[in-house]
Amino acid sequence: MCDQTFVAITFGPCDSCSENRPLMNLYIKTEPINYCSLCMEIMACQDLAGGETLNSLKAETESLRKRLEEERKKLHDVELEKVAEKAEALSALNLKTRRTLKGHANKVLCMDWCKDKRRMVSSSQVPAHPVFNSSQEHAVSMPTTWVMACAYAPSGCAIACGGLDNKCSVYPLSLDQNENLAAKKKSVALHTNYLSGCTFTNSDMQILTCSGDGTSALWDVESGQLLQSFHGHSADVLTLDLAPSETGNTFVSGGSDKKANIWDLRSGQNIQSFDTHESDVNCVKYYPSGDAFASASDDATCRLFDLRADREVSIYSKDSIIFGATSVDFSLSGRLLFAGYNDYTINVWDVLKGTRVAVLFGHENRVSSLKFSPDGTAFCSASWDNTLRIWA
Amino acid sequence: MTISTLTRGGAQREQQHCLRKMERVIIAMQDPDIGLKMRNQRLLITVIPHAMTGNDIMEWLIQKYNITDEEAGHLGGLLVQYGYIYPLKEPRSLILRSDDSPYRFQTPYFWTSSRWPASELDYAIYLAKKNIRKQGELVDYEKQNYNLLHKRINHTWDFVVMQAREQIRASKQRRKADRIVLECQEQAYWLVNKPCPGAFDVFDLGPERCNVLNSRVILNRRALVRNRVKSSICLESFMKFCDQYHQHDPIMSGCLPSNPWISDDTTHWTINTDLVGTPTRLRVERWSFSFMELLNDCLGRREFMTYLEKEFSGENLCFWEACEDLRHGESSKIILKVEEVYKTFLSPGAARWVNIDSKTMERTLEGIKQPHRFVMDDAQMHIYFLMKKDSYPRYLKSDLYKNMLSKAIVPQETKKSVFPFMRRQRHSSPSPAMVSQATEDNGKAKGAGPAATNSGTLS
């Protein structure tokens, strides 16, 4: 922080915000300045160099933002709706619940598919019961409430999960149904706040996690070593998704700071940032080609962001949809966007035309998670009504 | 009601973005011009104005938002659950009935957004009032709460009882209609905020989230100099992609012979297993969409390898695979793997030497001195693009690929069974954990196991 020689307290106008407050006299590089305690806090958090005031920084951020908006507008020569006019209209979908999985005694918070297209892992709110397979082969006891994230390893031989325990643990799956899986557990990730999301990268050996402590991190499963950490969100990071691109080196994350950020796995840098949402970004998902991603937010909208154009290209919202969206996923061709909401419904959107194609009722409480099976034949929704539903 | 209300910091409010939107709907509903038509409610001999029927509410929602009955019912139901509208006939049942059951708007004083979380003191006073007015009017869970509060805020109990008495006295001096309305409003508020245990609690919000400040200057500066692509080009590419994959999307075009989740017939999975003998036509077609599609499909990758070996450039794919293994493998094996890769592919006179340009080779050899996970990235990318631009297009034109395409099967669509209610037996599929422990398969069709089942209900 600053070169703090000694601190004394007086009263008067703050050098930074100009308000009359109790002041602290600080010395930054032997220059005395008087900040009120609030500005001093902010300065400490913001890494301000001596001489920069909070206001000047804010002003610079604003002007940069305006210029950025102008630059983005220059290349925006057409809207998605216009381009999509020549796309075929969609025929009515006949989507129904094909399976209802009851087995959790509490809210189901998260789920993930196995690469074999049939199995799933899901996690829930209560300690003694949570993680289980679609055929209830295993039940793992977690010594924590609110297991908010779970993921299946690409090989299908292990699962990872975590939540309010601030950790992400990996459990190898075995054939013996009676074996106590908790005994074989391996703690991989350790954050300083709750774990909100986790996923394996292309192999069983690495896990990418995001947490309420505002960071995401890449871990080596075998050693538990932190390989890379990603800082840049100014609030809880709630979701992440790996890019399906050729070079497979980026991922997107969304947070309570209303932003969605793109990160480079190798360097840890924040490459791009999108901040048009009006509330927490609850879920992000890449478009199948990897050139765009969709996000779901508490502001009751889902949005599509194009990475090459570096802007938001579509908003999926309706006046009658008031409650926040918690999860999104694309169908295999990327034409349909499925989103689960806090009003217990699932809305299906035409990605290109921006219109709503269908609304699915059935859950009796919030939809917490929604994912398509790897071959796109069905999708599964997890809900706070203690069930999972498979729709096709 | 006491005046004090605990206003939580911005944090919890932000999670309730939906409340502001609900309020806008409610205000629109009460608009004198475009809102609902109010009626009078007859309660024995008293007439209470400004009531509406459940049917009115549904009709208005349908008309204003252009939605279906089902959706209007759902939305209206949520408005009732959150306490913005309350029923007059059966106050404890917070649902929207689409008949002529009467409802009223909750007064803004009692709105969730202005008065949340509910204050303990207010609740104590409310329960005390109920108790004093009519002994035994408190329901079980209310009695429990009353006793709990009595213990917890015992030091203010005199104040509570005094306030309760005063409020009862004041209400007695009101007109009967007003008194009934106020009582209903208060009761509705508490039914939403302190629901009967086991009943639905809309204020169950999950773990708390918080906020902090930070600077965005560096990020914005970097963003300004970024290369951007015109919107028209980007958006066209989405159109193309959706179009190209339309036939392959089971939700859009169905899948052959049938979607296993709908028909319980797992043939679709059986014919599409990883290393099946004869792949389906759709699958082989997909290999031509992009190089990544070909590589991601293990059958496709194997075919491509066969082709490359014919052209004596198989080492390129092997090198790429070795680099992928290095990138995604265990940290402890990195040094070993880098050595292996160097020996096999990069060292002069290596058995499977790959042709990389001199600059990249120099950089890679330099990097190998301090091996890390990404040391082969440049070389890997070079070889990847070499294969993509050169070998891949030629493979698609080759006889090998064309034969594959012609041999590929197109499954017959299953005719709908004559007896639609006859369900097939569902069995668990073999666990991947088990499969991986068995010997590695080479081309045998795996997993004829049918769909996974669950021990619970099927619907």
Side-chain angles (χ1 to χ4, degrees):
Chain A
M1 204 191 92
C2 56
D3 186 9
Q4 204 170 311
T5 318
F6 66 88
V7 175
I9 300 186
T10 56
F11 191 89
C14 167
D15 280 352
S16 167
C17 61
S18 330
E19 300 204 359
N20 277 327
R21 287 220 173 108
L23 299 175
M24 304 178 85
N25 311 112
L26 308 167
Y27 285 78
I28 293 185
K29 296 196 177 89
T30 71
E31 285 293 318
I33 54 166
N34 299 325
Y35 276 6
C36 67
S37 53
L38 181 63
C39 289
M40 205 203 75
E41 261 323 310
I42 294 173
M43 184 180 79
C45 295
Q46 294 215 2
D47 273 324
L48 287 175
E52 275 185 300
T53 64
L54 189 63
N55 285 336
S56 76
L57 206 65
K58 273 196 188 152
E60 191 181 358
T61 312
E62 254 317 292
S63 83
L64 276 175
R65 207 174 58 78
K66 285 211 180 83
R67 278 172 57 198
L68 192 58
E69 271 311 303
E70 280 167 24
E71 284 296 312
R72 280 176 170 163
K73 271 214 188 89
K74 281 186 198 159
L75 287 175
H76 188 56
D77 49 350
V78 69
E79 292 287 335
L80 182 56
E81 273 178 327
K82 195 99 205 353
V83 174
E85 266 167 19
K86 48 184 165 118
E88 264 177 47
L90 292 173
S91 51
L93 296 169
N94 182 22
L95 291 166
K96 290 203 195 75
T97 305
R98 305 290 171 177
R99 306 269 192 286
T100 307
L101 305 178
K102 301 183 189 184
H104 277 290
N106 241 294
K107 306 186 169 102
V108 187
L109 302 176
C110 185
M111 55 85 42
D112 192 22
W113 288 89
C114 176
K115 287 237 157 78
D116 77 348
K117 312 157 199 170
R118 275 165 273 196
R119 287 188 149 62
M120 291 167 273
V121 65
S122 56
S123 66
S124 91
Q125 183 196 8
V126 161
H129 203 252
V131 181
F132 81 119
N133 239 313
S134 65
S135 55
Q136 272 191 284
E137 280 175 9
H138 304 285
V140 181
S141 243
M142 299 261 301
T144 173
T145 57
W146 291 90
V147 183
M148 295 152 75
C150 61
Y152 227 123
S155 68
C157 298
I159 51 173
C161 52
L164 285 185
D165 59 349
N166 300 357
K167 294 196 215 132
C168 183
S169 315
V170 176
Y171 297 81
L173 293 174
S174 70
L175 305 167
D176 188 354
Q177 299 197 14
N178 298 324
E179 190 171 352
N180 183 11
L181 281 185
K184 287 230 205 113
K185 141 180 145 168
K186 188 178 198 153
S187 267
V188 173
L190 185 61
H191 281 277
T192 50
N193 207 334
Y194 67 89
L195 192 88
S196 50
C198 66
T199 177
F200 284 86
T201 60
N202 290 22
S203 75
D204 283 15
M205 301 300 150
Q206 291 172 316
I207 293 191
L208 189 60
T209 60
C210 62
S211 158
D213 64 9
T215 69
S216 315
L218 183 65
W219 310 82
D220 177 61
V221 173
E222 207 188 20
S223 60
Q225 197 196 14
L226 172 68
L227 297 172
Q228 184 64 266
S229 71
F230 309 90
H231 298 260
H233 276 288
S234 48
D236 307 17
V237 184
L238 300 172
T239 173
L240 55 77
D241 190 32
L242 275 172
S245 73
E246 290 183 299
T247 41
N249 260 339
T250 60
F251 74 95
V252 60
S253 69
S256 273
D257 56 357
K258 312 175 195 171
K259 295 202 213 107
N261 292 334
I262 309 281
W263 308 86
D264 180 282
L265 273 170
R266 188 175 157 171
S267 62
Q269 243 190 17
N270 181 355
I271 311 176
Q272 274 174 290
S273 185
F274 303 90
D275 59 358
T276 49
H277 268 295
E278 292 163 17
S279 189
D280 302 11
V281 178
N282 291 320
C283 184
V284 285
K285 219 20 104 58
Y286 269 96
Y287 184 78
S289 72
D291 291 328
F293 70 92
S295 59
S297 161
D298 272 345
D299 65 5
T301 67
C302 297
R303 294 174 199 233
L304 187 70
F305 298 91
D306 187 312
L307 298 176
R308 292 178 301 172
D310 193 32
R311 62 177 296 130
E312 171 195 297
V313 292
S314 195
I315 306 185
Y316 307 101
S317 69
K318 208 169 186 294
D319 278 345
S320 61
I321 299 177
I322 293 179
F323 286 79
T326 57
S327 47
V328 270
D329 204 357
F330 286 97
S331 71
L332 196 138
S333 63
R335 181 68 192 268
L336 296 172
L337 182 70
F338 290 76
Y341 290 76
N342 280 337
D343 66 358
Y344 333 150
T345 64
I346 297 170
N347 287 295
V348 187
W349 303 90
D350 180 336
V351 172
L352 300 176
K353 294 196 189 270
T355 54
R356 186 176 66 175
V357 173
V359 50
L360 306 172
F361 296 95
H363 276 297
E364 289 157 23
N365 204 330
R366 296 188 188 191
V367 178
S368 54
S369 180
L370 193 156
K371 285 208 182 114
F372 254 88
S373 76
D375 62 355
T377 47
F379 70 92
C380 180
S381 57
S383 163
W384 282 19
D385 65 2
N386 308 358
T387 68
L388 293 119
R389 279 172 187 250
I390 301 185
W391 310 72
Chain B
M1 272 295 200
T2 53
I3 298 171
S4 71
T5 318
L6 298 160
T7 39
R8 279 281 193 91
Q12 283 286 26
R13 287 296 183 81
E14 283 312 316
Q15 279 196 10
Q16 300 279 55
H17 212 264
C18 50
L19 290 182
R20 267 178 263 146
K21 293 198 174 185
M22 273 195 277
E23 278 161 31
R24 259 180 261 149
V25 175
I26 294 288
I27 292 172
M29 277 176 138
Q30 292 180 51
D31 184 289
D33 300 315
I34 56 165
L36 284 169
K37 296 273 175 294
M38 303 293 205
R39 301 154 200 243
N40 291 337
Q41 174 212 14
R42 289 205 89 85
L43 212 74
L44 300 175
I45 44 164
T46 19
V47 174
I48 300 171
H50 308 309
M52 61 257 180
T53 67
N55 205 21
D56 286 343
I57 298 174
M58 291 252 320
E59 295 268 330
W60 188 88
L61 285 172
I62 292 173
Q63 205 233 357
K64 166 99 172 94
Y65 293 113
N66 198 12
I67 51 183
T68 60
D69 269 15
E70 196 177 5
E71 199 175 347
H74 186 84
L75 182 59
L78 284 165
L79 288 172
V80 176
Q81 269 182 338
Y82 275 80
Y84 286 94
I85 296 178
Y86 62 91
L88 296 168
K89 272 242 178 77
E90 275 170 57
R92 290 191 184 274
S93 150
L94 293 174
I95 56 176
L96 180 73
R97 277 178 246 271
S98 58
D99 50 20
D100 56 358
S101 335
Y103 290 84
R104 295 191 86 236
F105 289 109
Q106 180 63 286
T107 170
Y109 181 75
F110 280 127
W111 275 356
T112 311
S113 36
S114 38
R115 194 151 239 89
W116 187 84
S119 140
E120 281 198 325
L121 198 59
D122 289 339
Y123 191 41
I125 294 173
Y126 168 68
L127 290 176
K129 270 199 293 189
K130 266 187 117 175
N131 210 16
I132 294 172
R133 232 179 292 153
K134 209 194 309 186
Q135 285 287 353
E137 196 182 317
L138 288 179
V139 192
D140 282 325
Y141 76 95
E142 283 176 339
K143 277 205 200 102
Q144 269 180 348
N145 286 341
Y146 186 67
N147 293 334
L148 272 168
L149 281 168
H150 185 83
K151 262 189 239 148
R152 194 154 54 216
I153 54 173
N154 198 293
H155 50 285
T156 61
W157 207 251
D158 289 336
F159 175 71
V160 167
V161 173
M162 182 199 58
Q163 276 287 301
R165 289 217 176 97
E166 278 298 310
Q167 288 184 15
I168 292 177
R169 199 180 54 81
S171 76
K172 281 210 177 106
Q173 295 174 343
R174 290 206 184 93
R175 276 175 42 225
K176 181 148 190 214
D178 288 345
R179 191 178 351 136
I180 294 178
V181 166
L182 283 167
E183 272 169 24
C184 282
Q185 286 173 343
E186 201 180 8
Q187 182 186 45
Y189 172 76
W190 289 111
L191 280 171
V192 170
N193 278 273
K194 295 274 181 215
C196 170
F200 202 80
D201 183 9
V202 288
F203 296 116
D204 197 354
L205 290 173
E208 236 186 83
R209 300 173 182 174
C210 53
N211 279 293
V212 146
L213 276 177
N214 211 327
S215 156
R216 305 247 305 143
V217 176
I218 302 169
L219 196 73
N220 281 351
R221 280 203 202 117
R222 220 185 292 147
L224 271 176
V225 298
R226 183 178 302 134
N227 280 328
R228 278 182 200 82
V229 180
K230 268 204 294 196
S231 284
S232 49
I233 300 178
C234 302
L235 301 176
E236 271 303 322
S237 75
F238 295 145
M239 295 281 297
K240 235 190 87 193
F241 187 92
C242 288
D243 201 35
Q244 197 179 40
Y245 282 83
H246 191 272
Q247 287 297 108
H248 299 252
D249 187 344
I251 302 285
M252 308 276 299
S253 321
C255 56
L256 301 170
S258 61
N259 190 324
W261 295 103
I262 302 179
S263 64
D264 286 344
D265 171 19
T266 56
T267 315
H268 175 79
W269 286 330
T270 323
I271 60 179
N272 277 310
T273 46
D274 278 354
L275 293 171
V276 73
T278 321
T280 60
R281 193 184 180 86
L282 276 179
R283 184 173 175 181
V284 181
E285 271 176 12
R286 216 164 141 173
W287 299 347
S288 66
F289 288 174
S290 76
F291 189 38
M292 212 55 216
E293 283 284 353
L294 179 66
L295 288 183
N296 279 341
D297 185 343
C298 34
L299 195 63
R301 197 190 285 198
R302 202 178 57 176
E303 287 294 304
F304 189 56
M305 180 67 97
T306 318
Y307 174 74
L308 286 180
E309 309 249 284
K310 280 213 182 116
E311 301 222 318
F312 303 106
S313 49
E315 66 274 1
N316 287 341
L317 188 56
C318 292
F319 176 67
W320 184 84
E321 283 182 335
C323 292
E324 280 289 286
D325 186 40
L326 170 68
R327 264 208 325 184
H328 299 292
E330 297 106 309
S331 287
S332 53
K333 301 214 176 115
I334 289 181
I335 298 180
L336 202 72
K337 285 187 183 163
V338 171
E339 262 182 52
E340 273 296 313
V341 169
Y342 175 71
K343 262 200 312 224
T344 323
F345 299 102
L346 297 174
S347 63
R352 312 201 74 181
W353 191 78
V354 284
N355 194 357
I356 321 176
D357 68 289
S358 50
K359 246 205 191 145
T360 315
M361 181 66 96
E362 239 183 82
R363 252 205 313 264
T364 311
L365 293 177
E366 217 16 72
I368 289 181
K369 298 195 182 134
Q370 279 156 338
H372 60 92
R373 190 176 292 274
F374 301 110
V375 72
M376 295 290 173
D377 268 14
D378 286 341
Q380 183 185 9
M381 211 174 312
H382 180 92
I383 294 293
Y384 178 84
F385 282 112
L386 190 68
M387 290 193 287
K388 179 178 173 183
K389 297 244 157 71
D390 185 37
S391 318
Y392 174 62
R394 281 190 287 116
Y395 168 70
L396 292 179
K397 297 201 192 97
S398 72
D399 287 333
L400 201 65
Y401 179 69
K402 294 208 174 111
N403 282 341
M404 201 77 196
L405 202 58
S406 58
K407 268 195 315 173
I409 52 178
V410 181
Q412 288 275 41
E413 186 177 355
T414 317
K415 293 205 189 12
K416 298 259 158 54
S417 52
V418 182
F419 299 103
F421 298 106
M422 204 163 71
R423 280 236 181 82
R424 302 211 189 185
Q425 268 272 295
R426 292 175 185 168
H427 306 280
S428 243
S429 54
S431 161
M434 178 155 64
V435 170
S436 76
Q437 284 188 19
T439 46
E440 282 295 302
D441 260 45
N442 16 28
K444 278 199 289 220
K446 254 196 315 212
T453 185
N454 66 300
S455 57
T457 322
L458 306 167
S459 66

